Amino acid sequence: MIIVLGVFFLTVGVTSLIWPRRIQKKILARGRYKIDPFYNWMKTESYIMSLRVTGLISLAAFILLVIAVVRS
């Protein structure tokens, strides 16, 4: 279970750091988000920055999981 969680955090982290504009483009292309109150915010640069922060937090969680597994 820890390995699956670690792979998830690694995937989210790398994807959010390397391709934040691609993620933004795919989310905005879906029409169902137009009624979302955050839709206009998803168009801004601060959304890109939040994706990058999410990526950093996910990579930090992955590193902590690796450290915990190695120590035990």
Side-chain angles (χ1 to χ4, degrees), residues 6 8 10-12 21 30 32-33 48 61 64 66:
F8 171 75
L10 180 64
T11 304
V12 169
R21 297 207 187 275
R30 295 181 180 178
R32 67 178 183 202
Y33 289 108
I48 298 294
L64 286 175
V66 168

Side-chain angles (χ1 to χ4, degrees), residues 37-61:
F38 295 106
Y39 181 73
N40 288 329
W41 174 68
M42 288 182 200
K43 296 177 184 177
T44 64
E45 286 296 315
S46 64
Y47 180 69
I48 298 294
M49 186 59 67
S50 69
L51 285 174
R52 290 183 177 141
V53 169
T54 302
L56 286 174
I57 292 171
S58 295
L59 285 178

